[in-house]
Amino acid sequence: MDLKLELPTPIHKLNESLNDNVFYIKREDLMHLSFGGNKLRKAILFFEDIVKKGADCVVTYGSKSSNHARIIANLSFANRLPCYIITPLNRNDTYNSVMVNLFNADIIYSQITEVKDTINDLLMQLKKDGFHPYFIQGGGHGDLGTQAYVNAYNEICNYEKTSAIFFDYIFFASGTGTTQAGLICGSIINTDQRNIIGISVARKNPDGKKIIVDSVNSFLNKYYMKNNYQVNATFVDDYILDGYGSYNKEILITVKDVLMNEGVPLDSTYTGKAYWGMKEYIKTNNIYNKNILFLHTGGLPLFFHDLIRLKNLENSYG
Ligand SMILES: *Cc1c(COP(=O)(O)O)cnc(C)c1O
């Protein structure tokens, strides 16, 4: 398996014209392995580290909707590394969890409250049995995950230089906040000023924001500067609805509209929720005549669940 990504990922203009803004999209979903996305960009850095450290098995955490779990299980199998996925019991199968099974990952179910203990017990047992496990936090959280989105931020800056376009806003789906932390670090390192707006798909403030600020400080302290930087993160928790994985009719219609008008698949758990949230945010905050970049963070297998939901929606409205 060729773990070298062909970067930068493409940026292209959209037809979308809400409030006379000009919209662009960066296609993190168009990477060459396992349906791409932000979890792949992070995973590549983790797998480089796995090789460097000589680890011989991989342990991570992910729900049944997790794109991270799918990618880690896929890359582990292809690289002949045993893979253990800790999964909470409380969700239905998705195409992601079906693939995690297909990739022969060892799936360990756990109550939400016992996840931490389950992970620690497993790591201890593996070490006792003579293995060298490599642990990846859920969603690829941590400094390496942050690094992945510093890299993506630099790609955006390079695009701006060659195209003479400046993006006033970057919008995206924010979950563990690692993607957002990386973009903020990128902006600090490049000393530029723009609005980096994470649309939360699950977490609420103040926790959601705090985790991002902590990640930014952790990364900057480790690699760049020792003094604590005054970090601000715009983590918008107004569009979560009933939490992770919940959706409404407007989100499904957004997924449909973006597919039909732009030819770009989104999903209601991540990118579709964020795209809908972005438009609501633009309307609420009266944003006009700006250049706006939407970061497509991947999650393509989940789109197909929304396709079925859309069909049912059409049926129920005659
Ligand atoms: C995990 C995920 C996100 C959120 O990324 P974080 O770095 O965890 O904030 C957004 N979009 C998709 C498709 C994801 O799988």
Side-chain angles (χ1 to χ4, degrees), residues 38-39 42 67 139 173-180 267 270-271 297-299:
N38 66 347
K39 301 313 184 304
K42 299 179 199 179
N67 295 303
S174 205
T176 68
T178 319
T179 298
Q180 185 157 2
D267 78 279
Y270 294 106
T271 53
T297 43

Side-chain angles (χ1 to χ4, degrees), residues 202-228:
R203 283 181 185 154
K204 283 198 178 359
N205 285 322
D207 282 16
K209 185 184 283 211
K210 185 180 179 302
I211 292 167
I212 294 167
V213 171
D214 289 349
S215 302
V216 170
N217 282 322
S218 164
F219 183 85
L220 291 180
N221 290 344
K222 194 160 176 183
Y223 298 105
Y224 287 91
M225 41 204 116
K226 293 286 165 229
N227 51 326
N228 250 20

Side-chain angles (χ1 to χ4, degrees), residues 43-316:
I44 294 297
L45 299 189
F46 285 110
F47 273 75
E48 281 174 12
D49 201 37
I50 286 169
V51 172
K52 210 165 76 190
K53 300 223 162 94
D56 52 18
C57 57
V58 182
V59 177
T60 194
Y61 167 81
S63 76
K64 287 189 175 181
S65 303
S66 172
N67 295 303
H68 169 73
R70 173 193 83 243
I71 286 165
I72 297 302
N74 200 167
L75 298 195
S76 294
F77 183 84
N79 288 283
R80 306 292 177 255
L81 291 165
C83 174
Y84 301 86
I85 308 273
I86 321 290
T87 295
L89 265 166
N90 61 342
R91 288 182 185 279
N92 296 326
D93 274 324
T94 69
Y95 292 120
N96 280 333
S97 59
V98 171
M99 277 189 267
V100 167
N101 276 291
L102 186 72
F103 301 143
N104 273 346
D106 213 319
I107 298 158
I108 297 151
Y109 292 101
S110 166
Q111 301 291 344
I112 285 266
T113 49
E114 280 154 28
V115 164
K116 225 180 172 164
D117 288 341
T118 308
I119 291 170
N120 287 336
D121 291 351
L122 175 64
L123 289 173
M124 228 152 67
Q125 189 60 46
L126 286 167
K127 284 177 197 160
K128 221 167 95 191
D129 295 343
F131 291 99
H132 299 92
Y134 189 94
F135 176 63
I136 306 174
Q137 287 189 58
H141 191 63
D143 288 333
L144 276 182
T146 304
Q147 178 69 58
Y149 274 83
V150 172
N151 299 348
Y153 193 89
N154 289 335
E155 290 177 14
I156 293 168
C157 292
N158 287 336
Y159 177 87
E160 289 178 320
K161 271 178 214 133
T162 53
S163 66
I165 294 164
F166 179 79
F167 300 116
D168 304 287
Y169 288 82
I170 304 175
F171 284 93
F172 49 91
S174 205
T176 68
T178 319
T179 298
Q180 185 157 2
L183 296 175
I184 292 171
C185 288
S187 176
I188 290 171
I189 292 162
N190 285 279
T191 61
D192 57 23
Q193 295 282 334
R194 76 173 95 228
N195 300 287
I196 296 171
I197 302 187
I199 304 291
S200 174
V201 298
R203 283 181 185 154
K204 283 198 178 359
N205 285 322
D207 282 16
K209 185 184 283 211
K210 185 180 179 302
I211 292 167
I212 294 167
V213 171
D214 289 349
S215 302
V216 170
N217 282 322
S218 164
F219 183 85
L220 291 180
N221 290 344
K222 194 160 176 183
Y223 298 105
Y224 287 91
M225 41 204 116
K226 293 286 165 229
N227 51 326
N228 250 20
Y229 211 85
Q230 196 54 40
V231 177
N232 198 16
T234 309
F235 183 78
V236 181
D237 65 0
D238 297 330
Y239 309 107
I240 300 169
L241 305 175
D242 291 330
Y244 182 65
S246 65
Y247 58 92
N248 60 16
K249 188 178 152 194
E250 281 127 83
I251 293 178
L252 293 181
I253 301 292
T254 301
V255 169
K256 175 181 165 186
D257 285 348
V258 173
L259 182 69
M260 291 181 73
N261 293 318
E262 317 280 4
V264 176
L266 304 176
D267 78 279
S268 60
T269 299
Y270 294 106
T271 53
K273 198 177 223 177
Y275 196 96
W276 167 73
M278 167 180 78
K279 289 178 73 173
E280 293 300 310
Y281 184 93
I282 287 169
K283 286 186 251 175
T284 306
N285 292 282
N286 296 310
I287 297 166
Y288 286 86
N289 296 309
K290 300 292 186 195
N291 288 325
I292 294 176
L293 181 68
F294 182 79
L295 192 67
H296 191 314
T297 43
L300 295 188
L302 299 176
F303 159 79
F304 294 96
H305 295 281
D306 291 314
L307 200 55
I308 303 301
R309 291 171 185 142
L310 270 165
K311 183 163 164 273
N312 296 337
L313 193 70
E314 307 267 298
N315 289 343
S316 62

